[in-house]
Amino acid sequence: MQTLTSCLFNPLHLFTQTFESFKESTPTMQLDDILKVIGEFGPYQKRIYFLLCLPILFVSMFDILNAYLMYNPTHVCATIASPFQIKEISSDYSDKSSSVNPDQYEYGECSVTIGNNSSNTTLNACSSWSYDKTVFTSTYVSEYNLVCDHALTAAYIQVVMHSGSMTGSFVEGFLLDRFGRKLALCGGITLAMVVGTCAAFSPNIYVFTVLGYIQSLFCSFVFSAAFVLGLELVGPSKRRWAGILVNFFYSAGLMLLSGFGYAIRDWQYIQIACSLPLALFIFYWWIIPESPRWLISQGRYKEAHAIIRTIAKYNKCEDKLFLNQLTDDDDEEPERFKIWHLFSSWSNIVRCVIIWVNWMVIYITYFGFSLNAANLSGNFYLNHLLAGLVEFPANAVAFVLLDRIGRKKLFILGMVIGGLCLLLTGVFEHFWPVEIISISFAMVGKFGITIGYAVVYVWSAELFPTGLRSTGLGLGCMFGDLGYIFAPYVLQLTRRVPGYGRVLPLFLFAVLALGVSFLTLLLPETTMESLPETMQIHPEKFESPKDSSQRRISGDKLTVEESLL
C-alpha cells in the first residue's frame, strides 16, 4: 500500500513546498470538508465499501446460526432406563422378553409409561431418543441428546458462545481505537474462519462451546471494524448510505443461511459452509486502506495524506485537493480520549445509558425473534427466509427516511410498529391460531424492529467523536450482546410455562420495544451533522446546557474546526 500511494503522487517535494506556503494563510479543515471536495462517496469509496460488506454476509449467519445448530426436533423415547436394567423399545415392539403387553407402552418425549391401567403404571425416564428428521437430519441437540433434563444445556451453550461477542464488543472499541480498523478487520476474518471450521470437528461439548465463544469474539471484530471503516470513509451527506447499505448484506446473509440449512440439513456441514468461505477475504490486508479519519486522530498525518491522495486520484479530483488544509503533526498534538471522557458530565452519562439500553432491547427483540422462528406457525426454513426477506424493505424505508425525518423519529416509529405487531402476533398465535395472519403480523413486527436495528448503528456512531467512536459503539454492542444472551432463556419459557409459554416471549419482546421507544425521546438528533472529531465539536451532545453556557462565559474560543461547522 505504501508503494502504491507513493506512486500515485510522485512530485512529493512540490507537495511539501505547497504545504509550507499555505500553512499560515489557509485555515485548518476537517476531513469531512476535504471529502466534500474530492468526493463524499466516489468510485473509490464505493469499491472499498462493497468489499467491506462482503464478509458481513457470513457474520450475519453466525449471529443466528444457533437457531439451526441448536434446533430441537420432535423426539420420543428410544430406550428406557431403570435402576436395574436398560430396556430397548422400538416402534415394532420387538422386545419379546418383556412381560408387559406392547400395547401398554405409552411413548413420551422424556419418559415411557408402562402399565395395564391408570392404577398400576410405571414411569420410566428415557436414556436415548428417536428424533424426527423432517427439518434436519442432524442437529447438535440430537447428536448430544440435549433434551428433557438436559434441555437447558443447549441454552447454556448459546449463552457462553455469544458471551464471546459481548467480550469482543467490550474489547473491540479499545482495540479499534488503539490499533486501527484494518488490523481488527483482517485479523478477525482470519481467526473466525480458522476457529469456526475447527468447531465443526470438536470432539465434545466443551471444546465446541469454547471454539464457539472464540468465533463469536472475532466475528464481532469483523462487523464493527467493517462498519466503522465504511462510515469513516464517506462524507456527511452520504453517511446514511454507509450506515444502511451494510444491512442489506446482513439480511442477504440471513436468507443465504436459510438456503444452506435447507440444502444441507446437517449441523457439521452447515458450520463448515458458514466458516470456510471467510478464507476468500484474507487478501483484504493488501487492498483495504486504514481509516484516514483514525490516522488523523492518532497524529499520523502523512499516512492519512497518502490515503486521501489515493481517494482523490480514483475519484478524478486530484486538481481540487489541498492537503495543507489538514492539521499537520508538526504543529499540534492530536486530542486523545480515554473511556472516562464518555462520563465527563451527568448529561453524558444519561445519554450513554439510554443509547446502550436501546442496544440491549434491539438485540433481545431482533435476535430473540430469529431464534424463536421455530415456535411460529409454518415451515422453519420459510419463516427464516421471510424474516430475512422482510428486512430488505425495512432497510429501504430506513434509507429513504433516515435524513428526511431524522434518526430519532425513525427509530421510535420502527420500535412502535415492531412492538405492536409482535403483541398482535402473540394474541393471534394463542387465541386465533390462523397461520397466515400470525406470520403476517410477525413479519411486520420484524420489519419494524429491523428499522430500529438499522438506525441505532448510525445514530450511535454519530454521537461519539472519532477518538471514542469505536469505544462507544463497542460498548453499545456489548450491552446489545447482553440482551442477546438473555434471549435463549426467554425462549425456554415456551417449554417451561404451560398454556401461554409459546407466546410469552412475543409479549415480552413487544413490551420492551414499546418501552424503549419512549425512553429514546431524551436523546439528541444528529441528522446531517459532521462527524465529531473532538468532544467540543457538538457540545449539545456531550454537555448539559449549564456546562455549555459556562464554557462560553469562561471565554473559551472555538477552534477553526468548530467555526467551519
Side-chain angles (χ1 to χ4, degrees), residues 419-478:
L420 290 176
C421 288
L422 289 179
L423 185 64
L424 291 173
T425 302
V427 171
F428 277 96
E429 281 279 336
H430 186 76
F431 296 103
W432 300 282
V434 180
E435 180 177 316
I436 185 65
I437 297 178
S438 298
I439 294 298
S440 298
F441 275 117
M443 294 308 156
V444 176
K446 180 68 180 299
F447 173 90
I449 298 299
T450 301
I451 291 177
Y453 187 83
V455 173
V456 75
Y457 268 95
V458 180
W459 199 7
S460 298
E462 292 175 345
L463 285 170
F464 303 108
T466 299
L468 284 171
R469 185 164 301 121
S470 295
T471 301
L473 196 61
L475 289 173
C477 290
M478 185 191 72

Side-chain angles (χ1 to χ4, degrees), residues 361 364-370 372 415 418-419 422-423 449 487 490-491 504-514:
V361 172
I364 195 173
T365 52
Y366 180 89
F367 292 110
F369 178 90
S370 298
N372 192 51
M415 297 305 289
L422 289 179
L423 185 64
I449 298 299
V490 173
L491 298 183
L504 199 56
L506 295 172
F507 291 150
L508 179 59
F509 297 154
V511 171
L512 290 174
L514 293 173

Side-chain angles (χ1 to χ4, degrees), residues 61 72 130 137 248 274 441 448 487-488 499 546:
M61 295 182 190
N72 191 345
S130 177
T137 57
F248 287 96
C274 294
F441 275 117
K546 181 179 179 180

